[in-house]
C-alpha cells in the first residue's frame, strides 16, 4: 500500500498510518516524530502542547520525540541531542526486520550529516520503524555504527501521554526501584510508594525498570501499558504549574493533561564498535481499567512481553 503523505499548515510532511479497526497515527519526517495516535473511537492518546512550535529548528513539544545521541543535558550537545530537530528520510532498506504491511508501518532513517559531524564526530545510521495495529503503537529504533571507531550514546523515546487529570493518574511497576532525582541534582533515591501519584513537579530517571509499566488514568478508566525491550531505564516527568508557565512552548494549564513516561537507556550509555548495531523496541497499548487502584497484579506488570 502506498503511504498516505500530507503537508500540514507548517509545510512539514506528515505520514498518516491507519488500520482496519479505525485507529490512526501521524508521523512527521521532521524529527521522525509521532505527533498523533488515536484509538478506534478517534480519541487522541498522545499529548501535544497547545503552544507547540511547528517550525524548524524548534523541537515539537509533544507526541514521541526521539532523544539521540544524548538524553537531557548529560553531555556537550543541545538538550536531548539533535535527532528530534532534523529532517529524517524514508528508509528503503529496513532489513533485517521482517517485512511489514505498508499500510500501517513506516520505516525512517537519520544519517550523520556534515553539520552534525562538527558537533558529534561519529558516523551513524539511526533507523526507526513505526507500526500501528489495533490498539497498539510499536516503535523499533536501531542505531548502527558506520564509523571506524567505537562510540557511545544515550537514548530515549520521550512519550507524552494524554491524561484526563494528572492528579488522578498513578504509575505502577516502578515501586522499590532506584531513581535519579533531577530536581535534587540527580541524587540517587529509592522509590518508597506502592505507586507513583502526582501532586507537584516530577523529573526522575528510574533505573533497571521492568519491561512493562502501567499508567492508570482513573477518570478516563483507561490504562496505558508501556512495554519495552533494550531500554532499561524509564523517565517520569511532569513540569507542574510553575515550570509549565516558564516553558515558552507549553500552555499554562497543559501540565494537567499530560504525563511523560519514557523508554530510555541513560544510566549506562550504549557502546557500539564499528559496524555494530543496537536495537530496541517499545510497545504502547491501552486497556479499559474499571478496577480500583492497587488491583493491577504486580506480577503481571513485571512480566513483560507475552
Amino acid at each position: 500500500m502506498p503511504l498516505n503523505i500530507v503537508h500540514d499548515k507548517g509545510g512539514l510532511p506528515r505520514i498518516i498510518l491507519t488500520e482496519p479497526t479505525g485507529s490512526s497515527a501521524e508521523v512527521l519526517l521532521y524529527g521522525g516524530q509521532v505527533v498523533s495516535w488515536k484509538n478506534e473511537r478517534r480519541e487522541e492518546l498522545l499529548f501535544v502542547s497547545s503552544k507547540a512550535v511547528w517550525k524548524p529548528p524548534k523541537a515539537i513539544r509533544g507526541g514521541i520525540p526521539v532523544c539521540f545521541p544524548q538524553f537531557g543535558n548529560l553531555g556537550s550537545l543541545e538538550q536531548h541531542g539533535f535527532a528530534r530537530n532534523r529532517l529524517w528520510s524514508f528508509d528503503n532498506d529496513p532489513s533485517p526486520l521482517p517485512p511489514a504491511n505498508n499500510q500501517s508501518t513506516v520505516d525512517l532513517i537519520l544519517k550523520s550529516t556534515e553539520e552534525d559531524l562538527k558537533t558529534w564526530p561519529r558516523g551513524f545510521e539511526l533507523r526507526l520503524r513505526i507500526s500501528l495495529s489495533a490498539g497498539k503503537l510499536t516503535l523499533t529504533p536501531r542505531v548502527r555504527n558506520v564509523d571506524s571507531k567505537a562510540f557511545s550514546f544515550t537514548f530515549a523515546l520521550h512519550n507524552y501521554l494524554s491524561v484526563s487529570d494528572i492528579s488522578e493518574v498513578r504509575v505502577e511497576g516502578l515501586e522499590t526501584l532506584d531513581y535519579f532525582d533531577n530536581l535534587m541534582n540527580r541524587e540517587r533515591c529509592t522509590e518508597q510508594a506502592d505507586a507513583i501519584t502526582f501532586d507537584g513537579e516530577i523529573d526522575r530517571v528510574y533505573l533497571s525498570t521492568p519491561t512493562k509499566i502501567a499508567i492508570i488514568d482513573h477518570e478516563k478508566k483507561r490504562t496505558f501499558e508501556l512495554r519495552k525491550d533494550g531500554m532499561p531505564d524509564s523517565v517520569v516527568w511532569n513540569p507542574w504549574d510553575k515550570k509549565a508557565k516558564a516553558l515558552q512552548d507549553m500552555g499554562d494549564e497543559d501540565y494537567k493533561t499530560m504525563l511523560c513516561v519514557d523508554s530510555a537507556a541513560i544510566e549506562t550509555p550504549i557502546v557500539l564498535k564499528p559496524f555494530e548495531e543496537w536495537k530496541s523496541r517499545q510497545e504502547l497499548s491501552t486497556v479499559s481499567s474499571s478496577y480500583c487502584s492497587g488491583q493491577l497484579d504486580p506480577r503481571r506488570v513485571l512480566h513483560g512481553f507475552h
Side-chain angles (χ1 to χ4, degrees), residues 2-302:
L3 286 170
N4 181 12
I5 304 168
V6 298
H7 287 262
D8 65 16
K9 55 184 180 295
L12 297 173
R14 189 179 288 237
I15 301 131
I16 315 287
L17 300 179
T18 55
E19 57 78 39
T21 69
S23 67
S24 67
E26 298 182 14
V27 185
L28 298 183
L29 286 178
Y30 182 63
Q33 189 163 334
V34 180
V35 290
S36 172
W37 172 38
K38 290 178 180 169
N39 63 17
E40 69 284 355
R41 293 190 297 280
R42 312 299 298 145
E43 296 167 327
E44 181 58 68
L45 301 171
L46 299 179
F47 164 89
V48 174
S49 164
S50 61
K51 288 189 175 174
V53 180
W54 298 85
K55 284 199 180 82
K58 274 294 276 187
I60 295 161
R61 171 84 59 194
I64 309 178
V66 178
C67 303
F68 171 87
Q70 171 186 304
F71 178 80
N73 55 7
L74 303 173
S76 59
L77 299 173
E78 61 199 274
Q79 172 91 353
H80 291 324
F82 49 71
R84 63 189 187 141
N85 53 18
R86 295 291 184 272
L87 201 59
W88 295 45
S89 49
F90 292 108
D91 183 4
N92 298 317
D93 184 23
S95 60
L97 292 180
N101 173 347
N102 277 348
Q103 185 191 6
S104 56
T105 293
V106 62
D107 288 286
L108 302 178
I109 187 167
L110 181 70
K111 297 181 182 182
S112 37
T113 64
E114 295 287 321
E115 182 190 354
D116 296 330
L117 287 167
K118 288 175 192 163
T119 55
W120 201 64
R122 295 150 183 90
F124 71 88
E125 291 175 353
L126 167 54
R127 287 180 160 84
L128 180 64
R129 168 168 286 189
I130 299 152
S131 300
L132 177 74
S133 55
K136 194 178 292 181
L137 181 68
T138 305
L139 278 71
T140 310
R142 292 182 292 153
V143 177
R144 179 177 287 278
N145 180 348
V146 293
D147 211 309
S148 58
K149 53 190 182 295
F151 64 69
S152 66
F153 62 91
T154 49
F155 187 91
L157 294 173
H158 196 19
N159 303 305
Y160 283 83
L161 304 175
S162 173
V163 298
S164 52
D165 179 349
I166 187 63
S167 58
E168 296 289 322
V169 171
R170 59 189 278 133
V171 177
E172 298 189 359
L174 302 176
E175 46 279 0
T176 74
L177 298 180
D178 282 7
Y179 63 87
F180 292 129
D181 193 332
N182 290 325
L183 303 180
M184 296 166 62
N185 290 320
R186 299 193 77 231
E187 185 179 323
R188 191 175 182 127
C189 310
T190 302
E191 182 56 64
Q192 305 293 335
D194 61 354
I196 302 168
T197 54
F198 304 92
D199 58 6
E201 184 183 356
I202 186 169
D203 188 355
R204 297 175 183 171
V205 178
Y206 285 83
L207 309 172
S208 302
T209 58
T211 53
K212 180 174 161 192
I213 298 164
I215 300 99
I216 301 160
D217 187 338
H218 292 302
E219 204 168 297
K220 281 211 168 102
K221 292 189 169 52
R222 179 167 71 207
T223 295
F224 286 99
E225 287 186 350
L226 169 62
R227 296 168 184 268
K228 59 190 180 60
D229 200 17
M231 290 178 277
D233 305 319
S234 299
V235 180
V236 179
W237 180 70
N238 182 289
W240 221 252
D241 53 349
K242 281 190 185 144
K243 184 70 67 67
K245 285 188 170 77
L247 292 167
Q248 289 185 333
D249 59 351
M250 189 119 178
D252 289 356
E253 304 291 309
D254 278 357
Y255 74 93
K256 293 177 180 175
T257 56
M258 58 76 63
L259 175 64
C260 285
V261 181
D262 303 355
S263 302
I266 297 170
E267 183 189 23
T268 305
I270 308 293
V271 178
L272 287 182
K273 294 179 185 142
F275 305 107
E276 274 189 338
E277 184 176 83
W278 168 80
K279 179 182 167 188
S280 62
R281 172 184 154 99
Q282 167 184 289
E283 196 179 277
L284 277 171
S285 59
T286 58
V287 292
S288 293
S289 52
S290 54
Y291 48 68
C292 304
S293 60
Q295 289 185 4
L296 187 70
D297 181 349
R299 284 164 305 190
R300 278 188 50 220
V301 169
L302 297 173

